[in-house]
Amino acid sequence: MEQIEVQRYPLMGSNMQYDMSTRSFVERQQPPKMDMTLEKVLNLMTDPHSKKVKERHSRAVKKICEKYCNGFYLKDLGIVYNIIDALVANAKEDAEYTNALVQIVMLCGKSFLKEKASDDLVYEKDFSEFLVQLVKLVELPMPMVQIAVTHCIGGLYCTPVPVYSEGPQACRHELNIKAIEESNVVEIFGGELKKMEDETVYQEILHLLLFLSLSSSNCDSLLDMDLVDVVAKNMAGACASQNSKLLQLSIEVLWNIIEYGSADKVPYRFETMSVVRSLFSTFSHFIQTAKTKQDLQLRNDVMSVTQALVSHCPKAPLLECGFIKILSLVATYSEVKSEDEMIEGFTMKAQNDDFELKKLVWSTLVSLCESDALRQVMIDHGFLTALFEYVKPNDSVCSVEWTSAQYEELQLQALSSLETLCPLCLNEYMSGHGNTRLIMLLEWAYSEFNFTEGDYGGHGNSFYGDGGYQTRRAQLRFTIRVLLAVVRTGEENVLQDLCDQGLIDALKVVLKKYKGSDVPIELGILSNALLILAVLCENDSHRKGMFGDEGVELLLQFLSGDSDKFSSGLGYHKLLLSSVNAIWCCVSIVNQDLFLERGGIPILLDLLEKCPPSMQNLVLGALLDLTEDARAVPHVVTWRGKGQKTAVSLLIELWRAEEHAMGVKRDSNHVMTGNVLNGGDKP
């Protein structure tokens, strides 16, 4: 039986249509898709007839975001904000619009594009106004939108501008930064932060302010708003909730504001009792509870903020809130045992975090020691005693708390701290046998040793250990600096005690050991040693006798150095100045004969001829004092310099050079004209 072909009819609504010419169904041709533009999206959003087609609105926004995936154009700022405004109005009535609003806002976080190279300048003002209106969305009670706004501004401010291989390019990154800093964007975020109750949004805004606070102008805006007190209080409150992220953000924001804020505004906000008390509360919390690596780092960060606060706000009420007491207890924990409840639960081990904390606390306390009240609290809690525990030869140290390298670094910092502290508390210094400790360390530092056979040699770590690797020069340098600070006080009982314990002889050993050195650290040691000898011998003939012939011989060797090294930058000029000063103070009738016999006057005249003008007055002063002895005059008369120049010729040349420097003029008869006493014709 013949098969009959049955024609299948397409279902209704398919893409097929009936063709009359062929009497068959063919595929219907689809109309071309219309390009989605910002104008069409805006019309769709605002048309009252399409007000309730939420799905179409969402699809339109999605298509726009896909089309402008690299960012919107600067010329479309107005229409972009109108779309955002329409989405805000709809989102207030229907929460389903929130996602679409977030998509648009996040896309605004990409740098806007420009059609012309001049768009940066043409739309600069419009862009600033657009950002202000955009940031005001953070005031909406919609957490997702608030977070999106913070990410948007963060992207514009922090993300470098991309370079596209083809098509329009993004505007300059400087435009984004300028628009944010010169508008009131920071003020809007700061005002919202003050009243924000949502913890997640608060952290996001604070995270944004962390980057914005790297700018001085933004920091000043935050200071004007008194945002410091809010951040500090919330930081202290975060300790109870153990919100480490909020703690870290708060610490870093406060740190940035102190560092980058105006010097006249920072003290006004940070010297308040509430801010200092919040810092104290946070630090105390970590001192008593910190055990994990994260907590230890946060503790040290709080200490760093405190150190920055101390340096910028010297009048901060640290004493009134008990901050100085807990710092003193922490600083002396390993050396002076205490059972004070403020440090209950606190331990200090040979780990980097505790090591860094100790150094931070020491440096902070030393910066505060000029205050009599604060210094007395430190002394009462054994700070000076703790520092003296490190003034001992390293060979005899058996530290449980610290490694050898850590101990040396603490030792050098302790000596540096004593350089500042000892002159301010001489009574406590003497009662702690400071002179004896320093001289013992001095003798150990310059003694001979063999590093290869196991004798102690420095590790050379940190700023303080510079130049001391596998030697004891770092200890010697700081010991001499502490002694110099002590003798400069001029207290006769201290000076006499040092001399009785053999300091003059010890310093002469140092001078002999390092004479002829070209190493900067050793030249500094020599200069400071000569300064100490000058102070000790200046007003005491007996001590000048102790300086003796050996000291005179050493001085002459230093003065006979190569004049070409004056400007080498190694420290020769300081050594020469110290040597000339030592001639004034250490050479007297007791040892002046040897000075003259060894050619001291010609050496000084040679130095006068070669030294820079800034040093000539000192050399001339020393020569003047020496020539009061009639036996020195023949040495001056017989001296010959370069080109057989006499001393008289040299002095005349110096006179003329000084006249020229002062601008003094002479007439044809070589008579001075003008106001000579006021520097010739100079105003």
Side-chain angles (χ1 to χ4, degrees):
M1 186 174 179
E2 184 180 356
Q3 294 287 335
I4 300 175
E5 183 178 354
V6 179
Q7 187 172 9
R8 298 290 183 181
Y9 291 92
L11 297 175
M12 293 297 294
S14 70
N15 61 343
M16 305 296 288
Q17 66 180 5
Y18 188 75
D19 187 356
M20 296 295 295
S21 60
T22 61
R23 295 175 180 264
S24 63
F25 288 94
V26 297
E27 187 175 356
R28 179 186 290 114
Q29 294 184 356
Q30 297 292 335
K33 293 183 179 180
M34 298 181 64
D35 185 27
M36 184 63 68
T37 63
L38 294 173
E39 290 80 4
K40 291 178 181 178
V41 173
L42 180 61
N43 291 335
L44 182 64
M45 295 287 183
T46 56
D47 191 343
H49 299 290
S50 61
K51 185 175 182 180
K52 296 185 178 180
V53 287
K54 295 181 291 186
E55 293 183 359
R56 288 187 61 190
H57 293 168
S58 298
R59 288 197 301 269
V61 170
K62 183 178 181 180
K63 290 180 180 180
I64 284 295
C65 292
E66 292 174 352
K67 179 179 179 180
Y68 294 94
C69 59
N70 290 337
F72 295 114
Y73 286 88
L74 284 172
K75 67 181 183 66
D76 295 328
L77 286 171
I79 192 170
V80 169
Y81 185 75
N82 288 336
I83 293 174
I84 292 175
D85 199 29
L87 286 171
V88 170
N90 291 334
K92 290 179 179 179
E93 298 178 0
D94 191 338
E96 294 186 12
Y97 282 93
T98 304
N99 288 332
L101 177 59
V102 169
Q103 292 180 47
I104 292 289
V105 171
M106 291 296 291
L107 188 56
C108 291
K110 292 188 175 183
S111 293
F112 280 66
L113 305 176
K114 53 186 179 182
E115 288 187 332
K116 301 177 182 178
S118 60
D119 283 357
D120 285 342
L121 298 176
V122 173
Y123 296 102
E124 181 178 341
K125 183 178 179 181
D126 295 338
F127 186 54
S128 297
E129 295 175 353
F130 170 81
L131 288 184
V132 171
Q133 297 301 320
L134 182 66
V135 172
K136 287 184 178 179
L137 298 180
V138 79
E139 299 173 356
L140 296 174
M142 304 176 186
M144 290 179 60
V145 177
Q146 292 170 326
I147 294 173
V149 172
T150 61
H151 290 181
C152 168
I153 299 301
L156 290 173
Y157 193 81
C158 303
T159 306
V161 172
V163 178
Y164 302 110
S165 58
E166 58 183 11
Q169 296 298 315
C171 63
R172 295 178 297 110
H173 191 210
E174 291 77 11
L175 175 66
N176 299 339
I177 295 175
K178 185 177 180 181
I180 292 173
E181 292 184 354
E182 294 186 357
S183 61
N184 62 338
V185 167
V186 176
E187 288 87 339
I188 295 174
F189 278 115
E192 193 63 26
L193 192 73
K194 286 185 175 182
K195 55 186 179 182
M196 180 58 62
E197 297 180 357
D198 189 304
E199 187 173 309
T200 303
V201 180
Y202 179 90
Q203 289 185 14
E204 292 294 337
I205 296 177
L206 197 62
H207 195 189
L208 173 62
L209 292 180
L210 172 61
F211 296 103
L212 296 181
S213 60
L214 295 172
S215 163
S216 297
S217 59
N218 291 339
C219 286
D220 290 343
S221 299
L222 296 175
L223 287 167
D224 292 336
M225 296 180 62
D226 193 18
L227 196 70
V228 173
D229 192 41
V230 176
V231 175
K233 287 181 179 178
N234 289 333
M235 176 185 68
C239 293
S241 60
Q242 296 183 347
N243 189 335
S244 57
K245 182 179 179 181
L246 178 56
L247 278 166
Q248 185 175 4
L249 290 173
S250 303
I251 291 167
E252 292 183 2
V253 168
L254 292 175
W255 200 344
N256 285 348
I257 295 175
I258 294 175
E259 291 290 340
Y260 300 113
S262 296
D264 56 334
K265 294 182 179 180
V266 169
Y268 180 71
R269 296 301 185 188
F270 278 89
E271 287 180 348
T272 61
M273 178 63 76
S274 58
V275 172
V276 176
R277 193 177 293 279
S278 297
L279 276 173
F280 167 70
S281 174
T282 306
F283 184 71
S284 300
H285 167 78
F286 282 120
I287 286 295
Q288 296 176 356
T289 63
K291 294 293 184 291
T292 65
K293 179 72 173 178
Q294 185 180 38
D295 286 347
L296 294 174
Q297 290 176 344
L298 286 173
R299 178 199 65 188
N300 289 2
D301 288 343
V302 176
M303 188 62 237
S304 297
V305 173
T306 304
Q307 186 181 44
L309 181 143
V310 166
S311 62
H312 291 80
C313 310
K315 297 181 180 179
L318 300 172
L319 180 63
E320 291 80 352
C321 68
F323 218 145
I324 289 296
K325 180 180 178 181
I326 193 172
L327 290 178
S328 300
L329 291 170
V330 172
T332 61
Y333 178 81
S334 302
E335 301 79 22
V336 181
K337 299 303 179 182
S338 173
E339 297 181 358
D340 196 291
E341 60 181 8
M342 293 185 75
I343 57 172
E344 183 179 357
F346 175 67
T347 58
M348 187 167 284
K349 303 176 183 178
Q351 54 186 354
N352 288 334
D353 294 308
D354 288 342
F355 178 61
E356 293 298 328
L357 174 67
K358 195 171 189 72
K359 294 194 297 180
L360 281 170
V361 174
W362 277 10
S363 58
T364 302
L365 289 177
V366 171
S367 66
L368 293 168
C369 67
E370 294 291 337
S371 169
D372 293 339
L374 300 182
R375 185 173 66 251
Q376 191 58 49
V377 175
M378 302 176 204
I379 294 173
D380 291 343
H381 290 88
F383 184 46
L384 191 63
T385 303
L387 295 178
F388 273 141
E389 286 296 313
Y390 294 86
V391 185
K392 63 178 73 171
N394 297 54
D395 290 338
S396 61
V397 172
C398 183
S399 176
V400 178
E401 292 88 355
W402 312 113
T403 65
S404 177
Q406 288 175 332
Y407 182 88
E408 182 192 45
E409 195 169 337
L410 290 174
Q411 179 191 48
L412 296 177
Q413 185 173 349
L415 289 169
S416 178
S417 303
L418 289 170
E419 181 185 357
T420 303
L421 196 58
C422 288
L424 301 174
C425 48
L426 283 177
N427 292 333
E428 291 79 5
Y429 167 81
M430 293 299 292
S431 62
H433 307 289
N435 285 342
T436 305
R437 293 173 182 268
L438 290 172
I439 291 177
M440 289 178 62
L441 184 60
L442 177 69
E443 292 173 347
W444 171 84
Y446 69 63
S447 62
E448 297 295 332
F449 72 99
N450 192 334
F451 179 76
T452 59
E453 294 183 2
D455 291 343
Y456 180 84
H459 297 271
N461 295 335
S462 80
F463 163 78
Y464 299 104
D466 185 33
Y469 180 64
Q470 293 188 356
T471 69
R472 301 174 180 179
R473 291 181 302 199
Q475 285 83 359
L476 180 60
R477 173 176 58 176
F478 281 102
T479 303
I480 287 183
R481 286 175 57 173
V482 178
L483 288 168
L484 179 59
V486 170
V487 300
R488 277 178 169 168
T489 61
E491 290 292 330
E492 184 57 32
N493 63 325
V494 178
L495 302 184
Q496 187 59 49
D497 185 60
L498 286 170
C499 294
D500 292 342
Q501 297 195 46
L503 179 59
I504 293 178
D505 291 333
L507 292 176
K508 287 194 293 183
V509 174
V510 173
L511 296 179
K512 284 192 295 184
K513 181 173 182 177
Y514 294 115
K515 65 181 179 181
S517 173
D518 291 331
V519 182
I521 185 175
E522 293 177 356
L523 292 173
I525 290 171
L526 292 173
S527 300
N528 289 332
L530 288 172
L531 290 174
I532 295 173
L533 289 168
V535 176
L536 292 175
C537 300
E538 183 175 10
N539 299 314
D540 193 299
S541 58
H542 176 65
R543 295 172 193 165
K544 292 179 180 178
M546 294 174 65
F547 185 71
D549 295 346
E550 186 180 20
V552 173
E553 293 278 5
L554 290 167
L555 280 180
L556 292 173
Q557 293 181 38
F558 295 140
L559 292 171
S560 303
D562 188 355
S563 60
D564 294 335
K565 298 179 179 179
F566 286 161
S567 303
S568 64
L570 299 176
Y572 280 100
H573 63 294
K574 295 181 181 179
L575 179 58
L576 281 174
L577 289 172
S578 301
S579 301
V580 174
N581 181 56
I583 291 174
W584 256 340
C585 301
C586 301
V587 177
S588 67
I589 193 171
V590 178
N591 47 23
Q592 188 168 334
D593 291 343
L594 180 65
F595 184 82
L596 296 176
E597 290 174 8
R598 295 285 191 255
I601 296 296
I603 290 175
L604 283 176
L605 288 169
D606 290 338
L607 179 61
L608 180 63
E609 184 182 24
K610 300 173 183 178
C611 70
S614 59
M615 194 184 297
Q616 290 170 351
N617 60 332
L618 299 174
V619 180
L620 280 170
L623 280 169
L624 180 62
D625 280 2
L626 290 170
T627 51
E628 291 181 358
D629 186 344
R631 294 173 298 174
V633 176
H635 295 273
V636 176
V637 174
T638 57
W639 176 81
R640 292 295 181 270
K642 188 176 182 180
Q644 295 299 307
K645 183 187 303 178
T646 64
V648 175
S649 299
L650 175 61
L651 294 174
I652 291 174
E653 285 183 6
L654 295 178
W655 179 278
R656 289 174 177 170
E658 190 67 21
E659 282 188 358
H660 178 73
M662 294 175 63
V664 175
K665 294 183 178 180
R666 293 177 180 269
D667 59 16
S668 57
N669 295 322
H670 302 288
V671 177
M672 293 182 183
T673 60
N675 192 343
V676 180
L677 295 178
N678 288 336
D681 294 337
K682 287 186 177 181

